Amino acid sequence: MVVEHWFDFACPYCYIAQDRNRILRDRGIEVVEHAFRSHPGIPPGGKPAGPRVGPTYEFLAREAESAGLPLRWSSRMPHTRPALAAFEWLKRARPKVAQRFAESVFAAHFAQRQDIESVALLTILAEAAGGDPVPLRAALADGTAYEALYKSERAAKRYGVERTPTWNVLGQSVSGLRPRVWFRDLTTVLRPTG
């Protein structure tokens, strides 16, 4: 069984959704991840982020802690287009490398407060994930990587994806972060029998 998942590196719910995808994968469900800019209007250089206080941020902190994911808020909302394009470009040839790359980009932003728009950082993270940084840098420079991102976003429109995280399960789109138990229960429905 395959579950499709759309994410953005700027989305804290997507950061925590890594834990939900791990639940699916640990139970033998294939998760195919796709890049989607949930805030395409954020310009290069990002934009200042307001204070992260109140019930929503308390919820995110609790969920991140339960998932074992460090959460340290950056003072800026990042421009994620280069990172998402790099992910999609890496995924075309080596999905496992792209998955490790995505995990490291999420950690760089949400745990280490690094600038995930930096091509230098992205190529370092790609190499650490097992990718070749030289062709990735070239694909970001010549636009090839961005073409891969546009394809992913066009596919998202066909599925009706409007925000992140969104999963497509058995032809149904489910948006928003669901509790861990929802994903554990889902695996009993999706697990092949016989």
Side-chain angles (χ1 to χ4, degrees), residues 110-174:
F110 284 105
Q112 300 153 7
R113 298 182 189 161
Q114 293 183 305
D115 176 13
I116 62 169
E117 186 178 346
S118 162
V119 171
L121 175 64
L122 296 175
T123 55
I124 289 168
L125 296 176
E127 185 171 27
D132 187 339
V134 174
L136 173 59
R137 186 182 297 275
L140 287 167
D142 71 13
T144 308
Y146 296 102
E147 290 171 18
L149 173 59
Y150 296 143
K151 278 185 177 179
S152 177
E153 291 181 332
R154 282 194 300 272
K157 287 188 192 314
R158 289 194 302 274
Y159 279 92
V161 174
E162 295 179 355
R163 61 181 180 260
T164 59
T166 294
W167 289 267
N168 188 277
V169 181
L170 298 175
Q172 298 292 318
S173 286
V174 178

Side-chain angles (χ1 to χ4, degrees), residues 25-163:
R25 288 184 176 114
D26 286 350
R27 287 166 170 76
I29 307 300
E30 182 181 356
V31 180
V32 178
E33 301 199 60
H34 307 283
F36 179 81
R37 288 176 295 159
S38 56
H39 300 286
I42 294 177
K47 70 177 190 176
R52 271 60 170 256
V53 294
T56 297
Y57 296 102
E58 291 166 11
F59 166 78
L60 287 166
R62 282 192 309 273
E63 290 296 317
E65 185 176 4
S66 322
L69 295 166
L71 181 57
R72 297 176 62 225
W73 295 108
S74 169
S75 61
R76 300 192 69 72
M77 289 283 295
H79 175 67
T80 58
R81 184 172 170 256
L84 292 170
F87 168 81
E88 282 296 332
W89 186 85
L90 288 166
K91 185 179 82 169
R92 292 187 318 177
R94 301 187 60 199
K96 293 290 186 193
V97 168
Q99 182 184 336
R100 290 191 298 269
F101 171 78
E103 290 167 2
S104 66
V105 173
F106 272 123
H109 177 59
F110 284 105
Q112 300 153 7
R113 298 182 189 161
Q114 293 183 305
D115 176 13
I116 62 169
E117 186 178 346
S118 162
V119 171
L121 175 64
L122 296 175
T123 55
I124 289 168
L125 296 176
E127 185 171 27
D132 187 339
V134 174
L136 173 59
R137 186 182 297 275
L140 287 167
D142 71 13
T144 308
Y146 296 102
E147 290 171 18
L149 173 59
Y150 296 143
K151 278 185 177 179
S152 177
E153 291 181 332
R154 282 194 300 272
K157 287 188 192 314
R158 289 194 302 274
Y159 279 92
V161 174
E162 295 179 355
R163 61 181 180 260

